[in-house]
Amino acid sequence: NAGVTQTPKFRVLKTGQSMTLLCAQDMNHEYMYWYRQDPGMGLRLIHYSVGEGTTAKGEVPDGYNVSRLKKQNFLLGLESAAPSQTSVYFCASANLQGTHEQFFGPGTRLTVL
Amino acid sequence: QQPVQSPQAVILREGEDAVINCSSSKALYSVHWYRQKHGEAPVFLMILLKGGEQKGHEKISASFNEKKQQSSLYLTASQLSYSGTYFCGTRGNAGNNRKLIWGLGTSLAVNP
């Protein structure tokens, strides 16, 4: 099992460009999350999903959109990138049952110039 | 609402012990502990549920005092591999979205 994978691993954008980050999990988890991590700020929740076809806003949703068309995939979109969105983005998933452990992907390092 | 972790940073020599605290101003249903090594993703250590349960993971254990709304992570006889940033994540209820509110982390460095 690959667990949680993220694509791409690194990306550099210019201000105003758009992009989509892909998160995929092969554990059949119901819950999926997108976080951003900035130095000294810990993990901040951007958007999350409690199941296929559902999404909800987290703490810092502005400037981002998400979609969960398939249970195994959770996409994070930046419509018009800004330097303030320079960050490391982590995707995580969790099961409906069990320990509620969140499994994290390896992260995507995004730089917006 | 964000839990407060203390201390912010700890430096240990191999074999020494450390305690990391996670405190909330709100009632807690569960506290989750993760460790993140530099350049890597956070990795789950343990979960403590309401009820004051204490759990262990190798030489790392934790307690949860629901009256004080606080959890403590105990690292015993630290090893070099314990270095990293420790995060606590908290849930205020048993809701079905599994969302966690994260502390800012405690940086732990274990030196030979």
Side-chain angles (χ1 to χ4, degrees):
Chain A
N1 288 349
V4 181
T5 58
Q6 291 183 232
T7 311
K9 287 188 169 54
F10 302 94
R11 186 73 187 267
V12 178
L13 288 179
K14 292 183 180 178
T15 297
Q17 286 184 319
S18 63
M19 77 163 294
T20 300
L21 282 67
L22 171 63
C23 175
Q25 52 96 2
D26 61 2
M27 297 173 283
N28 202 35
H29 285 170
E30 292 293 331
Y31 304 104
M32 295 188 76
Y33 310 86
W34 274 109
Y35 294 98
R36 61 178 289 174
Q37 187 174 40
D38 303 294
M41 299 293 287
L43 290 160
R44 292 186 290 169
L45 183 64
I46 305 171
H47 287 280
Y48 66 99
S49 168
V50 299
E52 182 179 319
T54 71
T55 63
K57 293 180 180 179
E59 303 168 57
V60 289
D62 294 342
Y64 305 94
N65 56 73
V66 288
S67 64
R68 182 117 181 255
L69 299 178
K70 292 184 179 181
K71 187 177 183 179
Q72 63 268 33
N73 295 338
F74 196 27
L75 278 64
L76 177 72
L78 285 73
E79 294 174 344
S80 179
S84 60
Q85 293 178 305
T86 293
S87 187
V88 178
Y89 291 86
F90 286 103
C91 174
S93 70
N95 203 358
L96 180 64
Q97 308 292 339
T99 63
H100 315 175
E101 172 185 352
Q102 291 192 15
F103 294 81
F104 283 80
T108 295
R109 185 173 294 275
L110 175 67
T111 302
V112 183
L113 302 175
Chain B
Q1 195 171 358
Q2 180 177 47
V4 176
Q5 288 187 232
S6 62
Q8 286 186 311
V10 186
I11 299 175
L12 299 175
R13 287 201 178 275
E14 208 171 358
E16 291 182 335
D17 302 339
V19 180
I20 298 172
N21 297 307
C22 175
S23 298
S24 173
S25 59
K26 290 196 164 188
L28 296 176
Y29 169 75
S30 63
V31 180
H32 307 231
W33 287 98
Y34 287 74
R35 176 171 63 205
Q36 183 178 31
K37 292 183 181 286
H38 183 69
E40 299 180 6
V43 174
F44 171 76
L45 291 175
M46 65 190 76
I47 287 173
L48 297 106
L49 298 175
K50 191 173 166 181
E53 193 174 353
Q54 184 157 350
K55 290 201 169 186
H57 173 79
E58 298 176 345
K59 292 183 181 177
I60 301 174
S61 61
S63 63
F64 179 20
N65 186 325
E66 61 183 285
K67 286 185 180 178
K68 291 186 177 179
Q69 291 145 208
Q70 177 177 305
S71 176
S72 296
L73 187 71
Y74 307 95
L75 297 100
T76 307
S78 59
Q79 305 169 13
L80 297 176
S81 62
Y82 286 3
S83 293
T85 301
Y86 290 77
F87 290 98
C88 68
T90 59
R91 286 177 61 196
N93 57 62
N96 63 356
N97 58 30
R98 303 284 193 268
K99 279 196 308 177
L100 294 176
I101 300 174
W102 298 87
L104 295 182
T106 295
S107 173
L108 176 72
V110 180
N111 297 321

